[in-house]
Every structure is written in C-alpha cells, then in structure tokens.
Amino acid sequence: MIQLENVTKKFGGKVVLDKISMDIRDNELTVLIGPSGCGKTTTLKMLNRLIAPSEGKITIDGIDIEAIEKIELRRKMGYVIQQGGLFPHMTIRDNIEIIEQLEKKDKDHIVENTIRLMEMVDLDPEEYLDCYPTELSGGQRQRIGVIRALANDPKIILMDEPFSALDPLTRSNLQDEFVKLKEKVDKTIVFVTHDMDEAIKVADRICIMRDGHILQFDTPEEILRNPADDYVENFVGAKRIWDSPEYIKVEDFMIKKPVTCHPDTNKGRCLQLMSSSHVDTLLVVEPDNTLVGMIGRKSLYWATDKNSIARDMVYPNMSVAKPDDNIVDILRIVDEEDINNMPVVDDKGKLVGLLTSSNLVSTLSRQFLSEEQEEAKQEEVSEV
Amino acid sequence: MIQLENVTKKFGGKVVLDKISMDIRDNELTVLIGPSGCGKTTTLKMLNRLIAPSEGKITIDGIDIEAIEKIELRRKMGYVIQQGGLFPHMTIRDNIEIIEQLEKKDKDHIVENTIRLMEMVDLDPEEYLDCYPTELSGGQRQRIGVIRALANDPKIILMDEPFSALDPLTRSNLQDEFVKLKEKVDKTIVFVTHDMDEAIKVADRICIMRDGHILQFDTPEEILRNPADDYVENFVGAKRIWDSPEYIKVEDFMIKKPVTCHPDTNKGRCLQLMSSSHVDTLLVVEPDNTLVGMIGRKSLYWATDKNSIARDMVYPNMSVAKPDDNIVDILRIVDEEDINNMPVVDDKGKLVGLLTSSNLVSTLSRQFLSEEQEEAKQEEVSEV
Amino acid sequence: MSDLFKYMAENSSEIFRLLIEHIELTAVAVGIAILIGVPLGIFISYVKGMSKPIIGVANVVQAVPSMAMLGLAIPLLGIGVLPAVFMVTLYSLLPIIKNTYTGIASIDPEMVEAAKGIGLTRGQVLRKVKIPMALPVIMAGVRISAVTAVGLMTMAAFIGAGGLGYMVFSGIRTANNLQILAGAIPACILALLVDFLMGLVEKLVTPISLQPAYMEAKAKAKKGRTRQKAILGVAAVLLVVLIGNSVIGSMGGSKDKHITIGGMDFTEQFTLVYLYKYYIESETDIDVTAETNLGGSQVCRGALKKDEIDMFIDYTGTIFVEVLQNDPITDMQKVYEVCKDEMYKQNKFILLNQTGFNNTYTLATSKEVSKEYNLTKLSDLKRVAKKLVTGTTFQFLNREDCMKGLNSKYGIKFKDSKTLDGTPRYTALENREVDVIDAFGTDGLLKKFDLVVLEDDINFFAPYYGVPVIREAVLKEYPELENVCNKLSSVLDDETMMELNYRVDEKEEEPEDVAKDFLKSKGLI
Amino acid sequence: MSDLFKYMAENSSEIFRLLIEHIELTAVAVGIAILIGVPLGIFISYVKGMSKPIIGVANVVQAVPSMAMLGLAIPLLGIGVLPAVFMVTLYSLLPIIKNTYTGIASIDPEMVEAAKGIGLTRGQVLRKVKIPMALPVIMAGVRISAVTAVGLMTMAAFIGAGGLGYMVFSGIRTANNLQILAGAIPACILALLVDFLMGLVEKLVTPISLQPAYMEAKAKAKKGRTRQKAILGVAAVLLVVLIGNSVIGSMGGSKDKHITIGGMDFTEQFTLVYLYKYYIESETDIDVTAETNLGGSQVCRGALKKDEIDMFIDYTGTIFVEVLQNDPITDMQKVYEVCKDEMYKQNKFILLNQTGFNNTYTLATSKEVSKEYNLTKLSDLKRVAKKLVTGTTFQFLNREDCMKGLNSKYGIKFKDSKTLDGTPRYTALENREVDVIDAFGTDGLLKKFDLVVLEDDINFFAPYYGVPVIREAVLKEYPELENVCNKLSSVLDDETMMELNYRVDEKEEEPEDVAKDFLKSKGLI
Ligand SMILES: Nc1ncnc2c1ncn2[C@@H]1O[C@H](COP(=O)(O)OP(=O)(O)OP(=O)(O)O)[C@@H](O)[C@H]1O
Ligand SMILES: Nc1ncnc2c1ncn2[C@@H]1O[C@H](COP(=O)(O)OP(=O)(O)OP(=O)(O)O)[C@@H](O)[C@H]1O
Ligand SMILES: [Mg+2]
Ligand SMILES: [Mg+2]
C-alpha cells in the first residue's frame, strides 16, 4: 500500500499540490485523472522520488520512501513517461532491455521476454527491435515506453498517460492487457490518464484531481453514480454513465408507485381503474405488497366471465426484475421476451416498482437529450 | 484545394505510404485517422515539405508544392507538431510569437494576439508567458504548440494529434473553437487524430488510413452508416454511431410493414386483426397507402357503437414521423408527448412504417448488447 | 615568494604596460579567430563535404610547432603585431571551428525539424534555434581558444610585438626566475579574467533555460544579468579604448612625412627612441612612430632591412663584433669606420655620427675610495691596484678584454677579486667590502650610488658607442634627418644617459616623459 | 619544393625515427590527458562547486607560456621524456575537461530524468546516457587536444626527449628552412593521422543514431564499422608495440650496475655515445643507457649536474671558451688542463683523457692540389698561398682565430678568397674553382670527397678535442670506467671519426650499427 499524507509540492512560489492524501491499495489499478496541469504527473514523479515533496510524506507499506534507496525503489516500479522518454541513442531493443541487461539477467530470457512484450503491444519484433526511436511513429514510441516499464517485471507500475497517442483498437487491447495483468499477477498500477472512458474501463478506483486538490477518490461506479460535486459531474460527463450502462440500476429509473389492485378486484373495477389512472396494466398485490401478477387490457378481453377477479386474470409466465438489476439485464430480457411491462420485486417477493416500455424509452432517451429537457422530465417519468 | 496524387513514401526499403491520392478541400476540416504507424504523420509532413514523397506529387490549388518556395509554403501553413516541438530555450511567449516577431509585425498586435490565444486555450497569460517549456505540464505544452500554429493566422493548419494530451473538458472546448474557426474565417484544416469521437465531432470529411493505404475517405455520416469494410467498421466501432445518434434515421429502425386496415373496417374485424397479428395498434390507410390514422385497443373500447368503422375510431392529434427524422427527434417527441406508437409517413402522406415503444427500446438497447445478440435480433425487430 | 612580490612591485609599471599590450594583442587575435571560426564552423555543418578539408587544415595549422610557425611567418609578414596576431589567430581557430561544428551538428534533429516545420528560413533556424542551443559548446571552444591565446601570445615578444612574453623570455634568457614568473603570473591572471569575462558573455547569450540549475536561481539569474551586463559593459569599453588608442596611435603615425624608429628591449633604448622621436618631430615636419621593445639588435637590424622600421640606435661594438665577427679592438674611431663601411656595403645602412655615450664595460669606484687613493683614471690603477679588492661579474673576470687583459697587458693586479652579480656589487662597494666594481657605461645605478667611473685613459675597453643606423633610402627622402640626428647625438653623453636611465629605472618615470623632459631642459624642443 | 623532397628523402631514416619518438610521446601524453581529463570533466559536472576551481586551474595552466613551463618544469622534473610528457599532458587537459564538462552539462535534463526514472544508478546514467549523448562534444575536445599535443610535443626536443621538434629546432637554429619543414610537415601529417584515428574511435563509440545523416547510410555504417575496427585495431597494435618497446627498452636498462651516457644533437655525438656504450658494456658488467639527442653541450652539462646522465663527451674548446669564458688559445694540453681543473673545481666533473679527434676548424684541399703544390701542412701555405684561391664560410674568413689570424700572425695571404657555404665548398673544390676550403676536423664530407686535411703543424687552430666528462661520484662507484674509456678514447682519431660520420651522414647507416661495426672491426668487442 502506498500512502500519501498531506503531501504538498511547490515550484518556486507556486503551489502545485496542496496537502493531498491518498491510499493506493495493493493489487489495484488506481487512476489519477483531472484537467491538464492539475498535478497528476507531479504526483506520479513523487512516488518514485524524481521529485521531492515540499511537505508531507509518502510511505510504501508503512516505510517512508525517503528511507528507501532510490535505485531500489525505482527498480521496483516500472515507469511509463508521459512524453515517451526513449533514449535516442539506443536501439529499441536496448531501450527495452536496458535494466535487464544492467541486472545481468539470463540472455535468452531477456530476448524471449522482449519478443513477448513486443507482441503484446502489437509491434513486429523483427522489424522494429533494431530501429532507433526516431524511426518510429508517435504511437509506436509510446508503446515501447510502456513495455520498457514492464520489462523488468516490477511489482508497481506507474503509467503517465501511457496510451494517449494510440488509436482506439490498439488502446483497447492494451487496456485489456493491463487489467488482465493486474488481476493475474498481482500488480499495483498507478495510471494517469485524461480519458474518462479509459479510467472507468480500467480503474479499480479513480482519483479525480483539480488544481492540486483531490476532488473525489472512489470506485468508478460511485463516481459515476454519485459525483462529489458539480465539477466532477461535469468532468465525468453527465451522459458518461451510458458508456457504463451496467451502473444504471432498475431502482434508478423504475416507476416507483405503479398502479396496483387487490387480487379480489373484479373485472369492471379493474377496467375502471385503468381508465381513471391512464394505464394499460395493473399490478395485482396482496395487502402485504407481495406481488401476485399483472393484468392488462388484453387479459380483460380474454376474461369473458364478467365476475372474474384480478387474481384469475393475471398473465402467465410473467418476468420480474430486481431493483438492483441493471438496465442492460433488463434490455436483454425485454429484447428476448418481447414484453412491454415488467414488475420490480424485492428479494421477499414484494412489489417495489414497475418497468414499462415507455418508461425504458424515456430512460434511454436521456442520454441523447439535453440536460434541461431531461431534468424537466425526470419527475414526470417517475410518476407515470 | 490540396491534392495528393499517387503519393508513395519509402523509408529505406520500407513502404510507408503506398500510392495514396486524396483531395483536401478548401475551408474544410479533413481528419486523418488510422492505427498507430499507418502513415498519418508522414502524410502531414509531406504537405509542408518536411518530407519529400518518393513518388507522386502534391499540388496546392493546382501548383506543385515542389515549385513553391519552402518557407513561403510553410508560413502559409500552421503546423502543430505531434510531440509538441516547443523550443526549450525560448520562453512560452517567444515560442508562440517567433514567426510574428520574425515577420516584424506590429508589437501591440502581437501581444494582444498572444493573450487572446492563451485565453482561447485556457492558460493564464500572466502566469505562463514568461515560463520555459520544461515548467509546463504535458497538456499545457501541447496547447502552446497549438496556438503557436495559429499565431501567424495561416490559411492552412496542419495539426498532428493536437489534443491527445488534453482532458475531456479542455479538449472539447478546443474542438469547438476549431470548428468555429474553420467556419468563421475560412481555414483549411488537416487534422490527425486517433480518436474517432473527435474525428466525428470536428471533421467535414474523414480519411481512414491503414498501413499506408486509404481505406475510406468520406463524411463522418457516411463512414458511420456505411463503413467501407469490416476493418473500418471495427475501427469506427459498431456502437460508435450511438455517439452521433443524429445519424440514426427512422427508416433504419422503423417497423417496415405495420399491420394496417382499410378505413371502412368495422370494430369486430379490427379486434380480430389485432389478436391474430398480436398487436395493440392498427394503422388505418386508404388503398393508395395514404395514412388516415391509428387505432388501438383503447379506441375500440371507447367506440361503443358496434358498427363503428376504423375511420371513425382513429386517435386524434396523432404525431407522425418522417423516414429521415433521426432517433433523437423521435425520442424528443416521444418524451414530450408520452406516446407509444408513431406512424412513419413520407412527404406525400403515404404510410411507410411504424415506430412503437418496444421497437424503440430494442433499437436503443442495441448499443448495449453484444454484436451477436444484436445481429440475431435485427431481423426480428424490423418485423414486429 | 616575497622576492617575487618585491620584484613585481618594483616593476609594476612595466608589467602593467606589457599586460595592456598583451590584452590588446590577445583581444584582437581572439576576436578575429571568433569572427572567422564561428562562421566557418557553421558553414561546414551545412555543407557536408567541407567539414573534413576545413577541419583538416585547422588540424594541420594546430600541429605546426609555434616556433616553426614564427620562423615561417616572419619572412611573409615581417615582425611586430601583425605576425603575432596572425599566428595566435591561426592557433585559436581549431577549438572554435571544431566546437561550433560539433555543437551545431549534434542538435536534436527533431528540434530542427520543428523549426523548419513552423516556417523558419535556414538563417532563422540557425539564429533562433541552432546557435542558441549549441551555444554552451560553441562558447566552450571560444573559451579554450581565448585562454590558450593568452599563453600563446607570449610568443609575440619574439617578434617585437611586446606583451608579457617579453618578461618571460628575457627572464628565460637571463635565467631570472623572478622575471619569468613576473611575466607568467599576470598571464595566468589574465587568462582567468578572460575566461571569467567569456563566462559572463556566455551566461548573457545563453537562454536561461539552458543554464544548469536555472530553476532555483531563476529570479536571481534575472537580477544577476543586470550586473553581468554592467561588468561586461565596462570590460568592453576598456577594451575598445585600449584598442582604439593603439589604432589611433598607429593611424596618427601615417601622415605624409613619416618615419618609424625602432628600439631594443632595454631601458636605455626606450628613452633613446623617444629622444630621437621628439627631437626630430620638433626640428622637422616628419612624424615619427616609436616602435620600441623589438628584442635584440639582431631583430632591429632585421626590421630595418625589411623596411619595417626606418632607423634605430645600434652600438658600434655590437656591430663590430657580432655582425662583422671581428675580435674586439679598442680604437673607437676605427671601429666606427669599419662598421660604417661594412654596413653600407652589406645592407645600404648608413651609420650617422656616433653619440657621445659609450655603453661598454667600465670600472667604477666610490667617491670615498677615489679620494683616498686619488683614483680617477684606469691608469691610476697601476699604482694602487695592489691595495684594492674588486667585485665583478664572473664574465668580467674571465674575459680577455676585461680583467685578464688588464692583468696581462697592463700588469694591473688587484689584491683580491670577488665575483658578484647585479646590484649586490653596488651594495658591496657601498659597504666597502670591495673597492672597485665593473659596470656598463650608462648604467643608471652608477648615478644612483653616485660612483666615480674610472676614465679609460689607456683606451682599454672596446667601444660600444650608440649610433643611429638609418636606411639609405630614408635618408635620401629626408636628408634633413642627418643634421638633426647628429645634433642630438652630440648632446648625449655617458653622464646624460646614466641620468636618464636612472630616472627610468630607479625613479620609475616613463621613458617618454624622461625624454621630453630632458629635451626641454636642454632647450632642444 | 623538390629541394624539400630531396632533403626529406635523404633524411628519411632520421625523420622516421623522430616521427616514431614523436608518436610515442604524443600518445602517452594524450592518453594520460584523456585518463585524467575525462573523469575530471565528469566529476565537476556532478559536484557543482568544483567546476570553477578546476577549470580555473586548467585555464591557468593553459595560459602559462610553454617556454616558461619548460623553464619551470626542468628544475622539478629534470630533462627528457618525463617533463615533456608532463608538460604536454598539462596543456592537453583544458579542452578535454572543458568539453567533457560542457557536453555532459548540456544534455537534455528530461533525458536524464527519464534515465533516473527507470531506475538507473548515477553511474549507469552516466555510462548509458550522459556519456554516449555527450560523446560528440567530448571527442571534439579530445581531438583538439590530440592535434594540439602533436604540435606542442615539438617542445620535447628542447629537453632532450626527441621527437620531430629536434628537426624543427635545429632547423631554426641553423636557419635551415628545409630542415624546419622536414620536421613540421611530418608533424602536420601526424596530426591529420591522429585526428583521423580519433575520428574512427569517435564513430565506433558514438551510437549510430547520433551520427549525422545516419539514416541513409545505416546499412553502410554497419558495414563500415568492421573496417573502422580493423584500422583502429592495427593502429592500436602498432602503438602498443611502439610504446611497449620503449618501455621494455628503458626497463632493460635498469640492471644493478648501470650508467647513462648522454649525447648532443649531431651525428658525431650519436656515434660516440654508442661507441662508449658498447665498449663499456663489453669490457665491464655495467649496463649503459644511451641518452642521445640532448641538445647542445649546455644541456648535457645541465643533465650531468642533475645526475640525469652520468657521462657525456664534451669538446675541450667548448669548455674552455664557452664555459670558462676564456679567449681561445691553441695549446691543446694547456686547454685540457685548464678545463680539467676548472670543471672539477666548479662541478666535481672529471675529464677523462682527451680523445684523439679534434673537431675544430681545419683547412683541406684536394689530392690533386696537394700533389701539385706539395701541400700537406699549414706551414706549407706560407709558400704557396699566393697561388691559391680559398672557398670558406663567411665566418671563417672574418674570425681572428681563422683566416685573419693566418694572415696577421703568419703572413699567409691567398690569391683570392671566396665565401661559400656548406656542401658547395666541396663541389667548388672538386671543380677546381677554389683550391683550399675550411672544414671541421671530423666532417664526414672530408672522407666523402677524399680530401687532404692540412696538418696543423703551426698549432694555429684552437683545439676542440673530444673528451669524456664524468661525475666524480660515478667514477668512484665504477672506477673501472676510467681505464676503459681512456682506452677507447685513444683509439678515436680524426680519421676514424671522419669515417664514422661519413657512414652515418652519407651512407645513412644507423649510428648504433656503425659504432658496433667499428668496435668489432677493431677487435674491441
Ligand atoms: N524516419 C523514419 N525512418 C524509418 N521509418 C519511419 C520513419 N518515420 C516513420 N517511419 C515509419 O513509418 C510508419 C508511419 O509513420 P508515421 O509517423 O507516419 O505514423 P503515424 O500514422 O503518424 O502513427 P502514430 O499515430 O503512431 O503517430 C511507421 O511504421 C514508422 O515506423
Ligand atoms: N518544473 C516545473 N516548474 C514549475 N512549474 C511546474 C514544473 N513542473 C510542473 N509545473 C506546474 O505544475 C502544474 C502541474 O504539472 P503536472 O505536470 O503535474 O500536470 P499534469 O496533471 O501532469 O498535467 P497534464 O495532463 O497536462 O500532463 C502545472 O501547472 C505546471 O505548470
Ligand atoms: Mg502530465
Ligand atoms: Mg504520428
């Protein structure tokens, strides 16, 4: 665990980081994100002692890093540098292998490792290993920077905007690689990015910074669902959550007070209820709110007996949703089963809400409609 | 107009660009996009003669650029360099103003212009103009690189991944600035990026490159809707279109053969029709397919007269959609008017399709469900 | 150590004069080397094919031994400032060219591409990017050159261009370590000063951000610049004044009627040059340049032959023995005539009338002794030598035409002979440890210690009379010079020269002033 | 021009020998300078406070005039290889230190940060990043130093360390431009060679990507490297062999019983040194180091005084006139005795027996003339001079102890006297344009032209007999030397030396071989 305690950094008189504290947990991928110039790189460089904090202290597993030998500290940490930082006088191979070579690792192992890494970032080892950095494109250089940090198989990896110059396909592959890496081999990764999609995709926890302060440090889900303030919400992007629809839960958008009736209500009363409350569906519940079933106009038609009661008219095979199902689950069901309405039931079988097609449509349309409209609709929808 | 004709570039024996031809139109923002190493930067550098093509020729307004004096050519073109390319020995001010100073422009004008530009990219002139590049963060440097290219107010601007190091808010502001710039003051912009969202947002036309070839060169809409091949589709991202929902047209997802009835059909026949075809709504059309209206179960209830015919039972105030309305328009209407079904009618009032809530839901859910499911559903949906 | 301080203090005015000369010479040479070397270095970094040949030439030049270079330069450029500056400039080129070339060639090519990409012309890329970024390396070359030039410029003294080398080489010639150090130490200090000033230049022209550790010192650096500029400004003004002075001086000398009088490198000669200069200038409308400090008589004679000077004051004995390779004889008139004839025959040099001073060996004694033994002439020695102790140089003691001759030819035998050197002889005489010492006829010390010079009534010592030597062509052009010089020459006698030398050496007056003074006091000007 | 080629061709073996010496000296000096300078430059780029003082010291050293440096170094380090290498090393330091410092200090700090960031230690940052990136600048400094050192090393000749400077300075002393050039031109070529080799080193150690324009030449460069390595390999092997040789040579000389014989810088002395060396070595178990080419007799005497050599062969006349400042006399025994006494008194130097050769002025004539006028002795001249024409140097004509004396003391008056110089005298004699010429007693040319040397039966010419001079202490340690040397000395006469000189000068045999040969032929070894 890496801990920052009240760390402040000043350049000249300018305060760049202002008493920030954070815990970076082991085997997690922590993302630092924030607007340009907020101090992400500075924070990262303090972790491997390229920059000394003006105040405060940083510990790794409880040991002040000032007490750890610099070189040892840095060899334990891979470091991907923001602007690449490849050595122009070395071939790509030497750039990648420099630390391994210095540590006199087994030759064959080095070569194998390099080839594996090159393949991981989708660069042809044959073609590029003997080139010099100037012969590579921007994105290719960046990838070399990334694998240089991995070559020595460090426990901690610091990555400063490692994929900023990559196209979406390559980038997405690499993101997956890193998530896998962290999970399979227990790496602690600190990852700077300015791309919220990326952050949400890879992060275990996200630290949102601004002007040298930490605004929020939490899981992606919490940040998406409960942004700490307007700035975070805005930075994350109000519609961002649609890029992670699994965080949109049924309880967030279901109709919370659907129109219900007692199981003993008769057909006429049912029809009357539908008309008076402008709905096509009634939910049949016991007095203790246990869901019995659902009836619609169709069922009323089919029920030829004038005295049929609600309990007898309910649809068969009714699908139900749970309040913490997410919208993707629901859409999949809706899509598969071609149904329009779906009651929401808690663990004990009690009715808590209702999902309808139009309710889904209006939820889904939120991502495309502008804030104001949305806001205005919000209440309306939840009352339908 | 900048034209590339069969331009080939080899580095050593390696073919980096292979006979590419393209027209870059005046006053348009042309985006070059493609995977890392595909030759975007190389193409850009050939436009201002930093690199000479191995074969082929490049013309500007019909004049071979080889015939234009290099310096004149370059001064006519702003150039934002991929890795920043700021001069470390000059202050930010000098970096920005270097060309203006050399051209001995009016001092006051230069100062004003610089301040304006700094404010455009959201950097405090007071704070940064006297700094040196090493004192700036990655994103700050990149922004300086951008305004250096603008300082001399060139007609053509070449931008090589100009916003890759910027956070989403800053980036989005700058994207807007550039779109405005192009529209207001007639600039021709060639913009390299690897970010498809960005490309779609700012581009008039997008050139998708791969391995030194042009895969597709078209408007964003065309590329989104009709990717030239699987690679493009994949590169663009199948779900990408949901980021530009305005390109999703009603005709793309409406039910193309809704259940209709003649205006003279009586109530019983209507009910029968609904049951047999499992729908809640019937569209009432003249024999020449002109839409008369829509009836649903509700209207059948209300029509107490057993002999009522369809024509008399249609809903009042029916909203209709046009086939080239986009999904956002429709959602807005659905949202505002709280309706479930909407017939689609062409310019002549003839019925061409129908939109229903569940049809909308399944369309919208496509963005979240995986390819296979989607593919499978595709036909189903369009038949409902 | 304290000896050294004393020596330097005693000779401070001369050291200072030489230092100034040295600064002028070095500044000009380094300046020219920079003006040539930096553009050349830049040039070859652009034109690929040229770097090898040009650096090759600079290498070859650097490898030529400096003595050989001098040897080769003199026939081409003669003596004086020109060849000295030329030589030092040549030697200064390599570090400047090489470092300029290396500095510019090793700039990050991506930086250059960026500069080109934003539309800088070749020249602007150079001025705005390449030179500023290569500046630390270029300046390293310049500083190496400048410092080396300070040391090399000591060679200038070999060819009469003056400078601190004069001290060093006369120190080496006379094995006088103090003198060597008195020349070498100011040179070293000058080198430090030069490097310091160059360092300031470098700091001023180097962009702050390229200076190591500028961040912490950013504010300070900006403030510091003002002070640096001030120091440099003062230095520059001083230099311009210095060089301007000597340029104007030399320009002032190029009027219509004009001659140059050369002088050797010891006190008497300085004064003599100015004596003739002022007198000629007052009696004629000829303008005279004083070209003092040309080294030995050999050098002066060479300069006269090559028309670099028009006249100088030689000594008859020197011509007779050294040039004509005769054994010394004592007949002053015969010596003069042989010299006059031979010099004319060999070189078309004309010897004007001999002056009245004879800078030869003499014997001197104190007033006291003189009275006691009634000793005023050499011939008196026969009588009293047995009672006297001499204190002479080793050389005087062993030369046939000195002590040995006195003994063998005139049977003069002293009671005892001690070998002593330099000033100690005079002190020993004063303390009466010795009674008679040897001396040169016009030595200022004779005057200082107020001694009695024994009159050479037996014509024993070979004559070393001062005599103006002039080229025939010059005399034809300005025939008036003959009378004027002769008139002055007749006024100058041992007594006078001794006095004048005394004033310059002991009282540390300037030779110019002493000369002017004397001429005025005699009503000559 | 063609003169020059001829001269160089004629002296090619000597030039080559000097060149090899020069290469050894320069290589060692530059090698040491690199070993000191580069680490020092690196050191001061790390330890901020040190850069000023250390560069300051290097500046000061650079500004010391080289002559003064020599003057100061000799008392400390004596003469020979050590002070020469020391001096050149000192002068080579500044460019190396300064450029190393500048190169390292001006590396892009972001690059250094990257290196630190990925976990390189200070040393690794230095080795892997800083040095490779600064290499062009460092090598520029090294190349400047190396080339300058080639030129400076000519100074070595002043203190008996040999090298090409020997040619240059003896050329300067004798105003022989051909000789100057014959020394200077190989030095220049050597400089180019050194720079070329250094260039190869630089190319090999510089990462390809930092070399200008590597891209186009990438494939070529890789191929080229093999060839470069080969060239460098050969050069390195040669150098090691050279230096190794001289090191082993000098080590071999440090056996238990051991003396060093010094020699001056002309042909005869080379042979003499080897003659005594081989003879002593064969007759005793003393090991002798030959320290030839020490400059003039002054230098040898200095070296003897400072125990740097133990013995050398001086000339009686030289001691008598130059050291003791006597007027020349003709009595060879008296001269010898005066010299012997005085040298012992003054320095505890012991003059062993005089040799039989007298390297003084003589007159010579052709066999033909000799027969015609029955002319074999000087006294014969009285009789026939009126009919003869002499061809002599200007000096001979004008010296009292030469032609003038013949005239004045013996009334010998020739029909006519022409002044001629050098070899032309011999040719003129051969063509009978003149009948009698002057010569030095042991000149090889006498032998070459097979001339008759007129016997000095009137004891006219001052004696310049060769005489071994040895320190008393040495003789005490190895008393056997006295007999051995005397035995050899008695064998050496004019005839012999003339023969030997002739073989070395004209037949271009090596002095060692000639000496060995001679001793063998006489059954001496
Ligand atoms: N100087 C060079 N020498 C050799 N190969 C080069 C050189 N410059 C570029 N290349 C190669 O040309 C190809 C195209 O490079 P280019 O820089 O145009 O790519 P790019 O499309 O801009 O990529 P990126 O998005 O990563 O910046 C790459 O494979 C690169 O390795
Ligand atoms: N060496 C320095 N001297 C002075 N100020 C600095 C220095 N390094 C960084 N700064 C300032 O500190 C602030 C934070 O810089 P930092 O590089 O940490 O930003 P960042 O969050 O990494 O931004 P970006 O996303 O643009 O890379 C910036 O305002 C920058 O101007
Ligand atoms: Mg950053
Ligand atoms: Mg690129």
Side-chain angles (χ1 to χ4, degrees), chain D residues 34-35 64 88 130 151-152 178 198 216 250 264 279 322 330 333 350 356 360 417 474:
Chain D
I34 293 174
L35 290 182
V64 176
V88 173
K130 288 186 172 183
L152 266 178
L178 289 185
M198 287 288 181
E216 305 94 72
S250 70
M264 304 175 206
Y279 190 60
E322 282 182 24
T330 57
Q333 206 50 40
I350 289 172
T360 181
S417 291
V474 179

Side-chain angles (χ1 to χ4, degrees), chain A residues 35-42 44-45 82-83 160-161 192 194, chain B residues 136-140 165:
Chain A
S36 170
C38 69
K40 305 181 292 294
T41 300
T42 308
L44 211 60
K45 283 184 183 170
Q82 181 163 13
Q83 307 269 3
D160 199 349
E161 310 206 359
V192 170
H194 53 258
Chain B
L136 264 55
S137 79
Q140 288 165 342

